[in-house]
């Protein structure tokens, strides 16, 4: 009898340890979370890489796990939505310990965690691609991108006009900020351009432009989550992270089949950092954003086949590690730093929401329907074009993580940054002509 009771107790204990938050067993997660909380309460949480990673991963694991379990929410990008907006709400209502906020801000902003993450994803995903698929993807993605941009402008202005926002306001203050490529690369230069043309302070325009970009990013995240769900139900519509249908392209010896090599991952880390540094260096001499140069240089290296095969494998394995373990942590930083909750709430009116939704859905629908005529997988094509309506690099991470298609990061970065830069320039020209 005693043996049966003991066996039952051990079974219950094993079940408890089998419950996981992210990769951690629940009991261990609770212990680690308590340590982080105690360190922040007693002023022992350093505002650096150590403190930042600890806080962001503990919060990100929990929110990501909840987002993947809640019905309906899990199908519309729940992990990304919760990882961004819950920290934003906690900061707004002062519910997050100041020491934790300081650690997150220091690591995310001062240490440039976002661009480290993007450099690892871009270099690893490009070098890990089949060369023919890479070349065809870059060449074909511009058609749905251009068509989507035009469709978004038409749909957004039409809905904005019908709901009372007006064509002028809908175009310049809702549609354009959504398509501008993020806060730093799009909203800020756009606000400066508007201020010079209309002779007003840039600060006034920042507050008007940011909510549209944030809500557009949210709709793009939800759409990516739905597309992910659609891909499960209708597998013929998706390449599971591959943009172009391979046809007779030889996909043998794919990197997914190779054993993990930690030494090669170290080499991949150096390669990723140096691709980013090369972009920064080249930007000093040519007027092209550093991330774009980083992407193009990695694509050129892959196309020419000049990187040793083992180094490509190392970069790819690093990319897989970073994407799997640091995505939700990064999105927590995005929520704390770049998502002011009060500005999101202030923009929520039926007319505004309808205009934003029409803009984003027109962009994504264009990619979905145009992509199939260009021998692209509709779901992947839709996600890539959808990134054009996101919050720059942070938006790309959130959208692709919601869609579970992080392999598309190089294409998403091109869509976001190159597409955003073109939109900002054209908007400034049009406003000057009209004004």
């Amino acid at each position: 009898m005693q043996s049966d009771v003991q066996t039952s107790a051990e079974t219950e204990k094993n079940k408890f340890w089998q419950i996981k938050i992210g990769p951690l067993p629940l009991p261990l997660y609770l212990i680690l979370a308590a340590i982080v909380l105690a360190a922040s309460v007693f002023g022992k949480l350093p505002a650096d890489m150590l403190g930042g990673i600890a806080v962001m991963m503990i919060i990100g694991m929990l929110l990501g796990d909840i987002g993947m379990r809640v019905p309906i929410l899990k199908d519309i990008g729940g992990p990304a939505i919760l990882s961004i907006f819950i920290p934003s709400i906690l900061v707004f209502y002062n519910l997050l310990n100041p020491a934790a906020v300081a650690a997150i801000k220091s690591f995310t902003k001062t240490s440039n965690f976002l661009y480290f993450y993007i450099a690892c994803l871009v270099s690893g995903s490009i070098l890990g691609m089949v060369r023919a698929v890479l070349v065809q993807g870059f060449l074909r993605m511009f058609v749905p991108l251009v068509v989507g941009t035009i469709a978004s402008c038409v749909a957004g202005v039409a809905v904005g006009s019908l709901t009372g926002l007006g064509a002028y306001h809908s175009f310049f203050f809702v549609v354009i900020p959504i398509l501008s490529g993020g806060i730093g690369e799009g909203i800020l230069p756009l606000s400066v351009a508007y201020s010079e043309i209309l002779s007003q302070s840039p600060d006034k325009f920042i507050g008007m432009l940011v909510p549209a970009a944030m809500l557009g990013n949210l709709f793009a995240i939800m759409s990516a989550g739905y597309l992910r769900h659609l891909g499960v139900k209708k597998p013929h519509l998706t390449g599971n992270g591959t943009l172009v249908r391979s046809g007779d392209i030889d996909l043998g010896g794919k990197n997914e089949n190779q054993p993990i090599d930690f030494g090669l991952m170290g080499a991949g880390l150096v390669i990723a950092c140096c691709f980013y540094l090369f972009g920064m260096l080249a930007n000093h001499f040519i007027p092209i954003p550093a991330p774009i140069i980083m992407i193009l240089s990695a694509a050129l290296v892959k196309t020419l086949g000049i990187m040793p095969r083992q180094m490509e494998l190392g970069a790819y394995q690093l990319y897989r590690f970073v994407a799997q373990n640091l995505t939700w942590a990064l999105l927590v930083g995005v929520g704390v730093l770049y998502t002011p909750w009060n500005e999101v709430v202030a923009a929520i009116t039926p007319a505004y929401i309808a205009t934003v939704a029409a803009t984003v859905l027109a962009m994504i629908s264009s990619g979905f329907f145009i992509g199939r005529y260009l021998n692209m997988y509709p779901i992947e094509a839709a996600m890539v074009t959808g990134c054009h309506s996101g919050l720059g690099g942070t938006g790309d991470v959130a959208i692709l993580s919601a869609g579970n298609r992080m392999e598309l990061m190089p294409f998403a970065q091109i869509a976001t940054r190159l597409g955003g830069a073109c939109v900002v320039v054209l908007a400034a020209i049009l406003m000057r002509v009209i004004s």
Side-chain angles (χ1 to χ4, degrees), residues 10 22 50 246 266 350 392 394-395 407 431:
E10 290 178 355
L50 281 171
S246 57
T394 58
E407 300 92 336
M431 177 170 275

Side-chain angles (χ1 to χ4, degrees), residues 122-123 126-127 275 293-303:
V122 165
S123 61
I126 287 180
L127 294 178
F275 267 122
I293 297 174
M294 175 180 66
I295 295 166
L296 295 178
S297 60
L300 181 63
V301 167
K302 177 64 180 181
T303 302

